[in-house]
């Protein structure tokens, strides 16, 4: 039986966006990401991208790839049928016969977008349902809570049977909301924040602050690994690594210890401003969540924002750690995030960071240190790595 992948995008996401740009972007991404899975015919119609293998293709890989493209709400792997009741029934039985033998309840759901087809959705569902019950007389129909749903779709090109909506990545296509810099530590939160904003269409550049010799090569490898996991969703992107120790040492020498965390965060943000300007980004993304640590109280956030020349997007701000962790597990970054390598923040953490720093005292403390030149030098000494999950991107 010939298989096809039906990648569906939601109408809701199209509101306010240019539909053609959106669709063309999706098609381009699909073609690129499937290049090493075989040869495919890729067409769009009725809010669906039809991905049909030409000759032999790796359908498992293709399905996995499509599930990671932002903009699709569902990916259905279906069997292609002729547009006749007989063929739809035969293919439904061939596909689901074995499963239905072990099932008590089922339903048939039909969608007919080809209005010229001789049966409407209700009639088609009734016919196919009756046919399957004839083959498996023990079956009962359950509309509300069936163990198995057999979906039949009659579209313009062909008809299809499949087992119902398999979740897609959701969101809107990468790049359709512009470009931003994500401040990426090796922790749990920032990769999740990056994932969430990429899903809302942001094309990201990652910025990582490292403090060799206080932080190791392994700590950097961990960040590279996290970014490469994210690139499976976002496509290839750049990781800008900033050597930050000189700035931290200067803050340590000249400023009160209790303000170290907030001052360091402001320096990071100012250097990220430079990355934004250079990389033409319109916003900064962080993994902060309100109240999680000393640098994430309202007064501390006020001080951080004061250093930013771009809007700071904090998608995790209202989330609990358990919620963040469950997303980290889902996107497969959690196990890497919890590897115990040192971070540039933890290396210099003060024992008692001030949780309610005042902007005026923070600015005054900062004036005591010569940070401008060191921050510029750190930016100039950046190392850029491009994460190549997809050879073809
Ligand atoms: P994460 O789990 O992302 O490390 P966190 O809970 O450890 O976050 P903080 O250490 O206060 O919280 O960091 C807050 C945010 O600041 C991070 O989510 C990240 O966006 C940014 N950040 C922290 N350390 C770095 C770093 N070394 N390089 C780049 N960004 C960083
Ligand atoms: Mg951290």
């Amino acid at each position: 039986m010939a298989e096809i992948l039906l990648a569906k995008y939601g109408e809701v996401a199209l509101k306010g966006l240019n539909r053609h740009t959106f669709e063309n972007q999706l098609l381009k991404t699909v073609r690129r990401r499937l290049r090493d899975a075989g040869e495919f015919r890729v067409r769009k119609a009725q809010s669906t991208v039809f991905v049909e293998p030409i000759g032999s293709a790796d359908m498992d890989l293709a399905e996995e790839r499509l599930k990671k493209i932002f903009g699709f709400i569902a990916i259905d792997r279906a069997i292609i049928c002729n547009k006749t009741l007989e063929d739809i029934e035969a293919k439904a039985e061939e596909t689901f016969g074995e499963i239905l033998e072990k099932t008590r309840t089922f339903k048939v759901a039909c969608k007919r977008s080809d209005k010229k087809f001789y049966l409407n959705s209700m009639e088609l569902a009734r016919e196919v349902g009756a046919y399957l019950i004839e083959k498996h007389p023990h079956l009962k129909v359950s509309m509300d809570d069936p163990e198995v749903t057999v979906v039949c779709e009659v579209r313009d090109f062909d008809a299809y049977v499949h087992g119902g909506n398999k979740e897609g990545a959701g969101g809107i296509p990468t790049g359709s909301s512009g470009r931003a810099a994500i401040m990426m530590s090796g922790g749990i939160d920032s990769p999740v924040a990056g994932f969430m904003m990429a899903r809302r269409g942001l094309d990201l550049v990652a910025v990582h602050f490292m403090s060799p010799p206080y932080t190791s090569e392994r700590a950097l490898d961990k960040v590279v690994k996290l970014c490469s996991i994210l690139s499976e969703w976002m496509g290839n992107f750049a990781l800008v690594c900033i050597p930050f120790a000189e700035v931290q040492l200067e803050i340590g020498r000249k400023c009160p210890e209790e303000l170290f965390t907030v001052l360091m965060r402001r320096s990071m943000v100012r250097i990220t401003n430079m990355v934004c300007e250079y990389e033409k980004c319109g916003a900064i993304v962080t993994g902060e969540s309100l109240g999680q640590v000393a640098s994430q109280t309202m007064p501390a956030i006020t001080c951080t924002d004061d250093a930013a020349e771009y809007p700071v997007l904090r998608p995790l701000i209202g989330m609990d750690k358990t919620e963040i962790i469950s997303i980290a597990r889902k996107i497969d970054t959690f196990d890497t995030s919890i590897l115990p390598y040192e971070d540039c923040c933890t290396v210099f953490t003060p024992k008692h960071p001030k949780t309610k720093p005042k902007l005026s005292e923070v600015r005054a403390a900062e004036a005591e240190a010569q940070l401008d030149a060191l921050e510029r030098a750190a930016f100039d000494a950046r190392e850029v790595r491009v994460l190549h999950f997809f050879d073809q991107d």
Side-chain angles (χ1 to χ4, degrees):
M1 287 188 291
E3 282 189 303
I4 189 168
L5 288 156
L6 310 175
K8 298 169 181 175
Y9 42 93
E11 290 297 329
V12 186
L14 298 179
K15 287 198 182 117
L17 283 171
N18 181 324
R19 185 182 174 120
H20 280 294
T21 317
F22 177 99
E23 287 181 327
N24 289 338
Q25 210 162 344
L26 272 178
L27 281 178
K28 237 169 73 186
T29 309
V30 168
R31 291 204 174 96
R32 250 198 339 248
R33 300 259 180 110
L34 295 186
R35 233 175 263 166
D36 60 346
E39 217 183 308
F40 295 89
R41 184 166 178 209
V42 178
R43 298 181 285 180
K44 66 173 159 89
Q46 299 154 327
S47 297
T48 302
V49 175
F50 295 77
V51 178
E52 198 177 345
I54 301 169
S56 74
D58 187 341
M59 290 294 276
D60 290 337
L61 180 62
E63 183 178 359
E64 199 187 308
R65 289 282 168 79
L66 290 178
K67 280 188 185 155
K68 289 188 169 174
I69 296 177
F70 295 128
F72 291 126
I73 49 169
I75 308 295
D76 289 311
R77 186 159 166 178
I79 299 297
I80 304 174
C81 316
N82 297 328
K83 287 190 343 189
T84 63
L85 176 61
E86 294 68 30
D87 199 48
I88 294 171
E89 286 174 343
K91 297 271 167 52
E93 170 59 17
E94 239 180 293
T95 314
F96 290 96
E98 213 171 296
I99 301 170
L100 291 174
E101 268 309 297
K102 299 178 220 141
T103 307
R104 281 168 306 142
T105 58
F106 86 121
K107 84 169 175 188
V108 179
C110 294
K111 291 176 205 156
R112 180 188 65 147
S113 54
D114 173 8
K115 300 296 175 202
K116 293 202 278 298
F117 189 69
Y118 56 98
L119 297 171
N120 69 26
S121 306
M122 289 270 281
E123 291 162 344
L124 180 59
R126 215 176 299 130
E127 291 290 337
V128 176
Y131 179 89
L132 292 172
I133 288 177
E134 203 181 296
K135 296 276 176 194
H136 312 275
H138 70 284
L139 279 179
K140 295 268 174 300
V141 174
S142 163
M143 293 316 278
D144 297 331
D145 189 24
E147 287 166 62
V148 172
T149 301
V150 176
V151 183
C152 310
E153 297 190 36
V154 182
R155 302 289 201 113
D156 286 352
F157 307 130
D158 289 300
Y160 309 96
V161 297
H162 59 80
N165 281 354
K166 291 248 185 70
E167 220 181 305
I172 53 181
T174 302
S176 57
S177 299
R179 193 162 159 80
I182 163 107
M183 294 174 63
M184 184 75 79
S185 71
I188 297 168
D189 303 337
S190 36
V192 172
F195 171 82
M196 287 175 71
M197 293 320 298
R199 198 170 62 172
R200 293 313 303 164
L202 279 183
D203 180 20
L204 297 175
V205 177
V207 185
H208 176 66
F209 294 86
M210 54 186 189
S211 312
Y214 307 97
T215 58
S216 66
E217 193 63 28
R218 283 189 313 181
L220 178 59
D221 288 345
K222 175 179 161 178
V223 178
V224 170
K225 174 82 197 296
L226 288 170
C227 289
S228 68
I229 294 172
L230 288 180
S231 76
E232 292 180 35
W233 306 81
M234 290 163 34
N236 297 338
F237 67 104
L239 168 64
V240 181
C241 303
I242 310 277
F244 195 51
E246 291 303 326
V247 175
Q248 290 176 302
L249 290 170
E250 173 71 1
I251 297 173
R253 276 191 298 266
K254 306 278 176 62
C255 308
E257 189 186 306
E258 56 177 12
L259 292 179
F260 185 87
T261 305
V262 64
L263 291 173
M264 178 182 70
R265 190 73 74 222
R266 281 166 63 88
S267 269
M268 283 185 177
V269 168
R270 281 191 295 265
I271 296 171
T272 306
N273 289 335
M274 299 176 201
V275 176
C276 283
E277 196 191 346
Y278 188 80
E279 295 276 351
K280 301 195 168 39
C281 296
I284 295 173
V285 180
T286 75
E288 288 159 308
S289 158
L290 192 63
Q292 207 185 77
V293 289
S295 62
Q296 299 175 16
T297 61
M298 285 263 278
I301 286 174
T302 304
C303 294
T304 316
D305 269 1
D306 175 67
E309 286 164 19
Y310 297 84
V312 180
L313 307 179
R314 299 180 168 92
L316 312 186
I317 198 72
M319 288 171 72
D320 283 356
K321 197 76 188 182
T322 48
E323 295 170 307
I324 299 169
I325 288 175
S326 85
I327 299 179
R329 286 192 195 282
K330 213 169 101 187
I331 64 174
D332 216 20
T333 51
F334 184 75
D335 291 340
T336 305
S337 287
I338 58 172
L339 293 173
Y341 306 133
E342 65 292 334
D343 177 72
C344 76
C345 301
T346 47
V347 173
F348 295 93
T349 305
K351 279 191 210 67
H352 302 290
K354 205 162 193 177
T355 54
K356 292 183 180 162
K358 284 203 193 68
L359 187 53
S360 53
E361 66 174 340
V362 166
R363 282 182 176 165
E366 218 164 57
E368 297 300 312
Q370 260 73 57
L371 294 177
D372 285 0
L374 289 173
E375 286 166 2
R376 176 57 63 180
F379 173 71
D380 289 341
R382 68 195 178 277
E383 277 173 40
V384 181
R385 303 197 180 192
V386 177
L387 284 310
H388 271 291
F389 181 76
F390 301 105
D391 295 341
Q392 58 273 22
D393 257 22

